[in-house]
Amino acid sequence: MADENDRRFMAAAIRLGGGALGTTWPNPAVGAILVRDGRVISRGRTARGGRPHAEAIALKRAGDLAAGGTLYVSLEPCSHQGQTPPCADAILNAGVRRVVAPLADPDPRVAGKGFERLRTGGVEISAGLLAPEAQRAHVGHIARNAGPMPHVTLKLAVSADDAIGRIGEGNVPVTGAIARRHAQALRSRFDAVLVGSGTVAADDPLLTCRLPGLKRRSPVRVVLDSEAKLDGHFRVFSESSAPAWLMSAAKGIPPNNRIRKFVLPRSTLGGLDLWSCMYRLSDEGITRVLVEGGARIARAFLEADLVEDVLLFRSSVVLGGNVVPALAGLDLAEIENSDRFRRTERRMFGADRMSRYERAR
């Protein structure tokens, strides 16, 4: 039976794993906390690149003190032999008495087998505690195993007159410095950030995390360019601190050692088929994608019904003049007043308001 201490330690394990988001793909970002006699003995979270797993790190740090303890882990321990031994076996060998976990791992190689192996070995299992919180933390891993499709988040920064910029003026700041810094930090928690060729041509963005200490947390930078018209001189391709992937429908893309290229089918309208793009990203191990724009890409993802949640930053600034509408002619009511999405969060970043909308279930 779970008690308040169980809830506290389970919440801490979920938060701990969340700190590794964006660094562990294709593996989930898991947190593990080992407790004995009400005292935390050790902690671990999935290492960069997906291994060692969180449980293995926590058990190694605990050593002999793991025996008789309780392990709080934010996802069912694995039970299959991959590039590392099964975590379930490591838990049994360490003499852990009890495992508390919120969710069964949706990976078909696990899917309850980890819990079963532990039960068979005499470990007490408490499953289901804080399951909704863990589902939010592992949305990418869940989506990739269910779809297989990465979880897609659309990020928009819009002015008071529903615009994302002015035509022909390149990168026009819409939100203030605090909101822009938060957007930079957001990238570090995703496996990939995605834009279209129009954004690259107009703004020449780097798409990296430029906040102090986060540069090495920059995600894979994915550019959709159906006709492969962009050259390698744009910063997203020439700056090498993070991988750059180009997705195109054009054949015979010129070689470039700095860019990984994918040729994918066209949609019935002639552009890239976005579902094929997402399936391919999933095949490559990507679990969470942040779509940053521009307006046509945002509209295309919404119309393709690929968006799972939206981060909408609203500024009080009126851009005026020859503006670029936020959704290329699609009304923002498709997000803000739609049956498809429900608002789940609202926060202020300086003078700018951020609203999170999640797909209604």
Side-chain angles (χ1 to χ4, degrees):
M1 178 71 70
D3 60 18
E4 189 54 39
N5 280 334
D6 283 340
R7 296 182 66 86
R8 181 165 58 90
F9 288 128
M10 189 73 264
I14 293 170
R15 288 194 302 271
L16 179 65
L21 283 171
T23 70
T24 66
W25 62 276
N27 289 350
V30 176
I33 297 178
L34 188 63
V35 176
R36 183 173 168 179
D37 299 325
R39 183 169 65 91
V40 173
I41 301 299
S42 65
R43 300 174 177 85
R45 65 182 177 199
T46 310
R48 189 175 184 87
R51 57 187 66 86
H53 292 180
E55 303 95 313
I57 294 172
L59 292 171
K60 182 177 180 179
R61 289 173 175 170
D64 293 341
L65 292 176
T70 296
L71 183 66
Y72 296 86
V73 59
S74 66
L75 192 67
E76 176 189 10
C78 67
S79 55
H80 64 286
Q81 178 70 49
Q83 295 188 34
T84 55
C87 288
D89 287 359
I91 292 168
L92 291 172
N93 293 336
V96 171
R97 178 184 64 84
R98 178 172 177 247
V99 168
V100 182
L103 297 174
D105 190 335
D107 186 328
R109 297 171 298 177
V110 187
K113 301 182 186 71
F115 287 151
E116 185 57 33
R117 182 176 295 193
L118 291 170
R119 287 192 185 97
T120 300
V123 176
E124 178 187 345
I125 301 296
S126 296
L129 181 64
L130 300 187
E133 290 84 349
Q135 286 171 341
R136 285 193 289 273
H138 294 300
V139 288
H141 181 63
I142 293 169
R144 183 168 179 258
N145 280 279
M149 182 79 68
H151 184 90
V152 175
T153 297
L154 173 63
K155 193 211 80 169
L156 289 169
V158 303
S159 64
D161 47 347
D162 291 353
I164 61 171
R166 298 190 191 94
I167 296 173
E169 294 190 25
N171 187 5
V172 177
V174 174
T175 54
I178 296 175
R180 292 199 299 273
R181 286 197 295 270
H182 180 72
Q184 286 276 322
L186 268 175
R187 290 176 182 166
S188 71
R189 297 173 63 81
F190 285 82
D191 306 340
V193 57
L194 183 149
V195 299
S197 58
T199 293
V200 174
D203 299 344
D204 195 16
L206 276 172
L207 300 178
T208 55
C209 300
R210 297 186 296 282
L211 295 179
L214 287 182
K215 187 172 183 178
R216 68 187 301 266
R217 294 280 300 262
S218 295
V220 173
R221 298 166 296 170
V222 179
V223 178
L224 305 188
D225 181 11
S226 61
E227 304 303 328
K229 291 182 177 179
L230 297 173
D231 61 42
H233 294 97
F234 288 101
R235 295 193 301 167
V236 67
F237 300 134
S238 62
E239 206 278 342
S240 60
S241 64
W245 294 0
L246 176 67
M247 294 187 151
S248 177
K251 305 291 184 181
I253 302 173
N256 187 318
N257 293 334
R258 293 189 301 269
I259 310 168
R260 191 171 178 200
K261 299 171 182 177
F262 303 86
V263 178
L264 294 161
R266 295 183 184 274
S267 69
T268 56
L269 298 177
L272 273 169
D273 183 274
L274 296 182
W275 281 79
S276 295
C277 292
M278 294 302 100
Y279 284 135
R280 185 55 187 269
L281 289 179
S282 177
D283 288 345
E284 295 296 326
I286 298 296
T287 69
R288 301 173 77 243
V289 177
L290 180 65
V291 176
E292 286 205 3
R296 287 180 297 174
I297 286 289
R299 175 171 180 164
F301 269 85
L302 286 168
E303 291 185 329
D305 200 26
L306 284 166
V307 177
E308 292 296 325
D309 54 12
V310 181
L311 298 175
L312 181 62
F313 291 81
R314 269 205 172 274
S315 168
S316 59
V317 173
V318 176
L319 289 182
N322 201 11
V323 298
V324 180
L327 294 177
L330 195 67
D331 198 304
L332 274 168
E334 294 293 325
I335 297 170
E336 295 176 303
N337 299 299
S338 167
D339 292 337
R340 291 170 59 191
F341 298 101
R342 60 186 179 90
R343 192 177 69 212
T344 59
E345 183 183 358
R346 177 176 280 185
R347 296 173 62 186
M348 296 300 296
F349 292 94
D352 304 307
R353 184 180 70 241
M354 188 278 286
S355 298
R356 178 188 291 273
Y357 296 87
E358 296 180 1
R359 184 188 285 268
R361 302 299 180 188

